[in-house]
Amino acid sequence: MLRLLPLIFKNSLRSKRRSILTILSVTMSFTLLGVLFAMYNALYFEDPTPSQALRLITRNRISLTVILPASYKQKIKAVPGVQDLYISMWFGGTYKDQAQDQRNNFARFAVEPEDFFKVQKDLVLPEDQKQAFLKERTACLVGKRLADKLGIRLGERLVLKGDIFPGDKELMVRGIFEDPLADETLFFNIEYLYQSLPAGRRDFAGTFNILAKSKDDVSAIQRDVDEMFKNAPVQTRTETEAAFALSFVSFLGNVKVFLLVICGAVTFTILLVSANTMAMAVRERVREVGVMKTLGFTNGGILFLILGDAVVLSLVGAALGCLVASGLAAGVAANAGGFIAQFKNLSLTPPTVVFIFGFSVVVALISSFVPAMNAARTNILDTLKYSG
Amino acid sequence: MSEVVIQTKDLTRVYKRDQFEVTALKDASIEIRKGEFVALMGPSGSGKSTLLYLIAAMERPTSGTIDVLGQDLRALSDKQVAQWRNIHVGFVFQSFNLIPVLTAIENVELPLLLTNLNAKERREHATTALSLVGLGDRLTHLPKQLSGGQEQRVAIARALVTDPDLILADEPTGNLDSQSAQDVLTMLRTLNQEHGKTVVMVTHDPHAASFASKARYLEKGALLPEGHVPQDWFVRPA
């Protein structure tokens, strides 16, 4: 059968314009499919880093936007398997003209500095900068990617206008850190936030970010923390950091279903385009099928030739689609990575590319099977009499 | 006396078209010996092409028996028939039927793709076949770059490249000018006389039939007895 490959390639280019248009249609579909698969892979299949696998996040059971009592911290610390934890609070606020310039719209968290470093072990920061952050109440840390993007330098003063919380926060940039999962985030001392609030309104936490002693402790901590507050006035929900990030994404809606529905629609489109092309291509070659059968080609051989034709077009489309999708994924990573950590390194992984190629073959076979089978089974004389 | 290579007995082919039945060939019994060049003649609709297609196993008979090269064709499966045809039969069509996207040599190589020959051997065989029909200098030409006569010669090269026992030709000169037709007929006669190929050619052209060693006539689906010529036919085989 391999010796028929040159014949398949020649047939694929029989009508150059049609082949190019088909390939472009398929390329567009696979581009979309590639980006969606990359997103799906990043959201649901990407393995957490070793330290991320040890981190959990406890939030209010009702919603991420509802706060928890800060006093829960000591109780959670006492749960077996918990090594350390820190309080974190989404600050929100406005930086410069972020409504006009989206680059200024980045994540800002108020955290407990001492415990923050104990839990966020992936974070890379020079010791002197770390010390400066620990000592100075108005200090802040800025992710390197964010600093590069906005041209922020050490010692620079940043002003965040409060919206959820009243008042402006004047922050001094004392550290620029590297962390693949939080490279576009700003952290500042939660004490600075507490002290700007009335005394009776300071006992709150947005989330508790927990570091487990070992992987084996993670599920037990998850269960025990939520069990502990089961009958409390404010109940908790504890999940791994990766799962928490997914729940953050779920604010957008049921992303899983959303992605799958679009993938399904794209697949259906490819099937229609490919089936239409193959139906045309087969109709054009009916007489030739008769000639080839006369020369001794079996029904199986004819089937292989026509299916091969569809597979070639689909594979070329898939290859181009993967290339374009890689570029788009890089674009998505650059723009969405600040808010959806999973998209920070969005790319078409080798398994995703292999999957797309495999998928393209399956789609080609399905779309061309009926016309190919009909051609293969047609009586020789009927094909030779065919005048198109 | 040479061996019989084609033998049919009471061969009948009935086509069903919707509720109608059309008998294209009725009770045809014929014997063709190795090395013969037989012209099957008759007016349009007489059943001559149907008989040719049955000999080439491109059709299955409705009834009767057909043995070609000692093989009962009715006993073969579709796959076996295809393989048998590839090995034993070279077929020449009226309208050449070359694959337009393939060059002359690629067209001739086509039946060899189903053999065990490697690429180099296939190329050599195809080159030889094309040289034999006088197209050794047109190997890389596409069909659209060839004249009708040249296309038919490529088709003949394709038919003989597997060195088949039988060459079957269906109105091979029907689409050609007189000079090209003369060349093609001469070529078929050469294949018959110098290379010992058994040739069966369908034609309604008495001049074409004159190149054959024997002519058999069909009329309204019936094969006329050997030597019997309808009144309105005056040709004698050369």
Side-chain angles (χ1 to χ4, degrees):
Chain A
M1 286 294 189
L2 285 179
R3 58 178 61 192
L4 298 180
L5 286 180
L7 189 56
I8 290 172
F9 288 126
K10 288 246 177 186
N11 274 328
S12 300
L13 293 174
R14 172 182 297 257
S15 171
K16 288 190 177 63
R17 186 188 299 163
R18 190 181 61 216
S19 295
I20 289 169
L21 289 174
T22 304
I23 287 171
L24 285 179
S25 306
V26 174
T27 297
M28 290 306 292
S29 301
F30 277 115
T31 297
L32 194 51
L33 216 51
V35 173
L36 293 171
F37 280 163
M39 285 180 170
Y40 197 89
N41 185 56
L43 290 173
Y44 302 106
F45 293 117
E46 201 126 283
D47 289 332
T49 62
S51 59
Q52 191 189 20
L54 295 176
R55 289 199 295 264
L56 299 103
I57 293 177
T58 298
R59 64 174 171 90
N60 191 300
R61 188 174 181 80
I62 297 169
S63 164
L64 182 59
T65 57
V66 183
I67 55 175
L68 292 162
S71 56
Y72 278 16
K73 184 183 176 186
Q74 292 313 314
K75 291 177 182 171
I76 294 173
K77 183 98 191 253
V79 170
V82 173
Q83 184 167 313
D84 276 301
L85 76 157
Y86 68 90
I87 292 173
S88 172
M89 183 68 218
W90 171 263
F91 179 73
T94 305
Y95 176 66
K96 289 187 176 173
D97 56 343
Q98 70 178 44
Q100 280 77 41
D101 187 350
Q102 277 299 309
R103 290 182 311 155
N104 292 324
N105 192 7
F106 52 86
R108 299 132 199 170
F109 289 96
V111 297
E112 293 178 305
E114 293 275 357
D115 294 333
F116 172 74
F117 289 117
K118 291 176 188 168
V119 174
Q120 295 296 343
K121 291 186 181 289
D122 288 338
L123 193 134
V124 178
L125 180 71
E127 187 58 29
D128 59 325
Q129 294 182 22
K130 180 180 171 182
Q131 292 306 322
F133 179 62
L134 289 171
K135 283 176 191 161
E136 198 174 331
R137 194 168 47 88
T138 58
C140 72
L141 299 177
V142 178
K144 186 171 186 313
R145 194 162 166 180
L146 178 64
D148 290 343
K149 197 156 79 175
L150 300 180
I152 296 171
R153 294 179 181 184
L154 280 177
E156 193 170 329
R157 190 177 69 101
L158 305 180
V159 178
L160 299 179
K161 287 187 178 171
D163 43 22
I164 305 171
F165 299 99
D168 294 349
K169 294 283 165 289
E170 290 190 15
L171 303 169
M172 297 299 290
V173 179
R174 293 301 182 205
I176 292 177
F177 65 89
E178 288 181 48
D179 182 344
L181 293 175
D183 232 7
E184 290 190 52
T185 308
L186 179 146
F187 295 105
F188 68 95
N189 193 329
I190 201 166
E191 275 303 312
Y192 186 27
L193 175 62
Y194 285 155
Q195 287 177 12
S196 66
L197 298 171
R201 287 187 54 201
R202 292 177 185 171
D203 175 33
F204 66 83
T207 59
F208 295 101
N209 297 43
I210 304 166
L211 180 69
K213 285 177 181 164
S214 73
K215 271 188 183 177
D216 298 336
D217 295 319
V218 170
S219 56
I221 292 171
Q222 204 170 338
R223 185 191 60 233
D224 293 348
V225 169
D226 291 345
E227 190 67 29
M228 185 162 57
F229 300 110
K230 193 176 176 184
N231 297 314
V234 181
Q235 296 172 353
T236 61
R237 178 169 175 180
T238 305
E239 52 204 345
T240 62
E241 191 178 276
F244 175 79
L246 270 184
S247 68
F248 193 71
V249 172
S250 71
F251 282 148
L252 300 170
N254 193 335
V255 177
K256 204 172 198 173
V257 170
F258 179 70
L259 290 177
L260 289 175
V261 166
I262 298 180
C263 285
V266 172
T267 304
F268 187 63
T269 307
I270 304 174
L271 278 173
L272 289 184
V273 169
S274 188
N276 187 43
T277 302
M278 289 320 298
M280 282 194 291
V282 169
R283 201 162 48 240
E284 203 173 74
R285 280 154 49 189
V286 169
R287 273 184 78 89
E288 287 173 30
V289 167
V291 173
M292 294 179 85
K293 282 186 169 187
T294 305
L295 297 179
F297 280 78
T298 59
N299 290 357
I302 300 292
L303 192 67
F304 179 79
L305 281 174
I306 297 173
L307 293 179
D309 193 357
V311 168
V312 166
L313 292 179
S314 195
L315 279 175
V316 173
L320 292 174
C322 283
L323 278 178
V324 181
S326 295
L328 284 179
V332 171
N335 290 294
F339 284 92
I340 303 173
Q342 289 93 333
F343 290 171
K344 195 168 286 293
N345 296 312
L346 190 72
S347 64
L348 267 70
T349 58
T352 305
V353 172
V354 169
F355 181 79
I356 288 175
F357 274 94
F359 190 69
S360 72
V361 172
V362 172
V363 165
L365 293 178
I366 292 173
S367 65
S368 59
F369 186 76
V370 172
M373 198 62 191
N374 286 341
R377 292 166 68 171
T378 308
N379 177 279
I380 293 184
L381 295 185
D382 288 340
T383 58
L384 291 175
K385 285 173 192 162
Y386 188 81
S387 59
Chain B
M1 204 130 187
S2 56
E3 64 176 299
V4 175
V5 289
I6 299 169
Q7 184 171 41
T8 73
K9 190 163 174 50
D10 300 330
L11 200 62
T12 298
R13 180 68 174 108
V14 178
Y15 292 104
K16 286 184 180 168
R17 293 282 182 264
D18 301 323
Q19 70 269 42
F20 302 108
E21 283 193 349
V22 178
T23 304
L25 189 69
K26 188 169 169 48
D27 297 332
S29 299
I30 190 172
E31 277 188 3
I32 297 174
R33 293 182 179 279
K34 184 176 169 67
E36 280 189 318
F37 185 168
V38 177
L40 296 177
M41 300 191 68
S44 182
S46 61
K48 55 189 187 301
S49 289
T50 301
L51 179 56
L52 191 77
Y53 296 146
L54 287 167
I55 293 169
M58 291 158 72
E59 285 266 54
R60 300 271 185 183
T62 307
S63 63
T65 62
I66 178 164
D67 274 43
V68 181
L69 300 163
Q71 176 67 55
D72 178 2
L73 297 183
R74 295 169 308 162
L76 298 177
S77 67
D78 286 349
K79 190 176 177 182
Q80 288 169 326
V81 157
Q83 287 163 346
W84 176 86
R85 204 185 298 119
N86 177 253
I87 295 167
H88 297 292
V89 177
F91 203 98
V92 181
F93 298 93
Q94 177 180 351
S95 50
F96 328 135
N97 282 334
L98 300 179
I99 309 295
V101 292
L102 301 181
T103 61
I105 194 160
E106 287 168 338
N107 265 289
V108 176
E109 269 190 77
L110 215 44
L112 297 178
L113 291 175
L114 304 170
T115 67
N116 292 326
L117 297 176
N118 63 36
K120 187 166 174 273
E121 291 167 332
R122 292 200 302 269
R123 187 97 338 185
E124 283 171 2
H125 279 64
T127 306
T128 304
L130 279 167
S131 300
L132 204 64
V133 298
L135 289 176
D137 58 343
R138 295 282 191 277
L139 302 184
T140 55
H141 283 58
L142 290 167
K144 66 182 178 189
Q145 296 165 327
L146 300 169
S147 68
Q150 289 172 328
E151 279 195 79
Q152 192 59 301
R153 281 194 275 162
V154 173
I156 292 173
R158 182 178 65 186
L160 59 88
V161 74
T162 53
D163 193 24
D165 304 290
L166 282 177
I167 304 267
L168 306 179
D170 186 9
E171 306 264 15
T173 58
N175 284 2
L176 299 178
D177 61 72
S178 57
Q179 184 54 52
S180 296
Q182 189 74 14
D183 293 344
V184 165
L185 291 166
T186 304
M187 210 167 286
L188 289 174
R189 187 161 61 185
T190 304
L191 286 171
N192 170 246
Q193 291 181 351
E194 293 179 17
H195 299 272
K197 302 291 177 195
T198 306
V199 180
V200 181
M201 176 178 70
V202 162
T203 183
H204 60 261
D205 175 12
H207 175 68
S210 69
F211 282 76
S213 54
K214 184 194 282 185
R216 294 296 302 267
Y217 296 87
L218 291 101
E219 202 170 40
K220 295 177 183 171
L223 183 69
L224 302 183
E226 195 165 347
H228 186 103
V229 182
Q231 282 187 338
D232 49 346
W233 291 84
F234 302 101
V235 68
R236 289 278 182 279

